[in-house]
Amino acid sequence: MGLFNWFTQEIAMDLGTANTLIIHNDEVAVNEPSIVALNRNNPKEVLAVGKRALMMHEKTHESIRTVRPLKDGVIADFNAAELMIRELIKLVYPKKPLFPPSWRMMICIPSSITEVEKRAVRDSAEQAGAKEVYLIHEPMAAALGIGIDVEEPVGNMIIDIGGGTTGITVIALAGIVCDQSIRIAGDEFTADIMEALRRYHSLLIGERTAEQIKIQVGAAMKDLENPPDDIPVNGRDLVTGIPKQIMVSFQEIAEALDKSIFKIEEAILKALEQTPPELAGDIYRRGLYLTGGGALLRGLDKRLSQKIKLPVHIADDPLKSVVRGTGIALKNYDRYPFVMR
């Protein structure tokens, strides 16, 4: 057993719709977009993965295709997911080791996932070379990563705005008490921005440009304390068909995202309605915790706390809190009852 342990390496993985993060030896070893570029003539041949594949996205010719294997937080393309996981694990060890280690892997999954989807995650990890696969629900991992003591009898509300789904979860006693999941998150925000520019400026832009706009001037409110500058956006004019450039301000983006953020607010209110009264009292005292990439949207915490009239805290590093929590759970995988074997 001792020899086997020596060859067993542990990795914690946050397999997200937009980004995949891997923790190995307590540090984030891989932080890449969840996208893979494949050769159309030989679908098993990976041309690029992560940032390099993202640079190819929407710029390919007919013999290359770029795939985002995850949709709405679950695996949509099984083969691409397996190839992507395998390539990303290779990035943990840039130099090829003499004896390839056997992996003990912990992967976090959305709490609204079905058994079939759970099986798909487990199978792709095993196909990619994992000997043992443990699963953990994302809100649990997020709570551990934020630094909440999940085992105490106190209610905490975690709002995880990812790429494909927004999960709103109340956690107490190391379990999930109630849970709302809606498919409105980062991808939906990106689509809203593309639609708004098409409608108001008759400008066609791609997914990557919309994503850049969201990162640089994305906002949830029209009045921010320190607003970002307007940015130039290039695209194709729908009327003339000629490439053109326009300036985009954060107010326009705030207006474009308004409907989607409103739906997130509704879901939070719905989750609060289902919360048992004792836990609701705890949440009133402690406030809500925002995590995931969507938490970086400017003014979102302020807008939510105005609507719900409770304090809203953003996690320290919202993009990495889930994978950090997964790493903590992997270290103590036999201690925590919520880890799925």
Side-chain angles (χ1 to χ4, degrees):
M1 194 62 197
L3 187 69
F4 177 70
N5 277 355
W6 191 66
F7 284 123
T8 302
Q9 295 277 357
E10 299 191 332
I11 50 176
M13 183 186 272
D14 171 11
L15 196 59
T17 311
N19 294 298
T20 296
L21 292 94
I22 296 179
I23 278 194
H24 178 58
N25 292 341
D26 294 343
E27 56 192 56
V28 179
V30 175
N31 180 358
E32 296 277 340
S34 303
I35 183 166
V36 59
L38 303 172
N39 183 347
R40 260 189 214 276
N41 308 323
N42 174 12
K44 286 273 178 246
E45 185 191 338
V46 178
L47 300 171
V49 69
K51 296 184 186 76
R52 282 192 44 230
L54 188 66
M55 288 161 98
M56 300 179 180
H57 188 44
E58 297 183 324
K59 294 186 177 183
T60 55
H61 48 79
E62 66 260 22
S63 58
I64 298 178
R65 71 186 183 111
T66 52
V67 190
R68 292 181 61 187
L70 286 103
K71 185 117 179 62
D72 299 332
V74 296
I75 291 177
D77 184 331
F78 186 78
N79 293 332
E82 176 202 322
L83 291 168
M84 184 183 79
I85 294 172
R86 187 169 296 189
E87 291 299 316
L88 289 173
I89 290 173
K90 278 185 196 162
L91 295 177
V92 176
Y93 276 119
K95 298 192 286 290
K96 211 169 177 195
L98 184 62
F99 300 106
S102 67
W103 298 107
R104 177 183 296 135
M105 243 191 246
M106 183 172 287
I107 303 179
C108 54
I109 51 173
S111 47
S112 56
I113 196 167
T114 63
E115 282 300 321
V116 176
E117 292 162 342
K118 207 186 280 184
R119 183 74 188 275
V121 174
R122 195 182 285 274
D123 287 355
S124 355
E126 282 167 359
Q127 291 287 329
K131 285 281 180 293
E132 303 171 55
V133 181
Y134 298 103
L135 302 175
I136 178 174
H137 284 311
E138 267 163 20
M140 274 299 175
L144 283 171
I146 293 169
I148 295 170
D149 181 0
V150 290
E151 293 177 294
E152 58 181 347
V154 177
N156 290 294
M157 183 175 247
I158 314 283
I159 301 162
D160 179 10
I161 306 175
T165 52
T166 293
I168 300 145
T169 319
V170 177
I171 287 173
L173 291 168
I176 291 171
V177 180
C178 54
D179 158 58
Q180 281 281 325
S181 174
I182 54 170
R183 302 208 155 174
I184 287 169
D187 286 353
E188 192 68 27
F189 295 158
T190 307
D192 289 341
I193 292 171
M194 288 164 74
E195 175 60 28
L197 289 189
R198 210 194 75 190
R199 183 173 296 167
Y200 300 119
H201 297 282
S202 22
L203 185 78
L204 262 186
I205 59 167
E207 213 176 288
R208 282 177 46 199
T209 306
E211 179 87 18
Q212 280 320 113
I213 297 172
K214 181 176 72 181
I215 292 166
Q216 288 170 5
V217 294
M221 298 169 76
K222 285 189 181 173
D223 45 330
L224 295 176
E225 279 163 18
N226 38 6
D229 301 332
D230 295 4
I231 58 163
V233 174
N234 308 335
R236 191 176 89 216
D237 191 326
L238 271 170
V239 184
T240 61
I242 301 170
K244 74 166 181 177
Q245 184 179 66
I246 57 164
M247 297 302 283
V248 173
S249 68
F250 78 92
Q251 282 103 337
E252 279 182 71
I253 303 304
E255 192 165 310
L257 301 180
D258 183 63
K259 277 200 181 98
S260 295
I261 296 171
F262 179 72
K263 286 179 188 159
I264 291 176
E265 291 173 344
E266 294 286 282
I268 295 171
L269 292 170
K270 200 168 158 194
L272 287 166
E273 278 170 22
Q274 296 171 357
T275 309
E278 287 294 333
L279 295 178
D282 294 337
I283 292 169
Y284 179 80
R285 280 201 308 278
R286 293 190 158 210
L288 317 175
Y289 295 93
L290 266 186
T291 162
L296 297 168
L297 209 57
R298 296 165 186 79
L300 182 62
D301 51 338
K302 221 162 119 191
R303 174 167 171 172
L304 291 178
S305 64
Q306 281 172 10
K307 170 90 177 194
I308 298 161
K309 301 182 175 50
L310 293 174
V312 175
H313 317 288
I314 297 182
D316 289 342
D317 189 348
L319 280 165
K320 294 189 181 136
S321 53
V322 172
V323 74
R324 291 235 162 84
T326 311
I328 295 167
L330 179 57
K331 275 213 195 68
N332 314 312
Y333 67 95
D334 39 7
R335 195 187 114 204
Y336 288 127
F338 47 78
V339 169
M340 289 163 278
R341 287 183 171 53

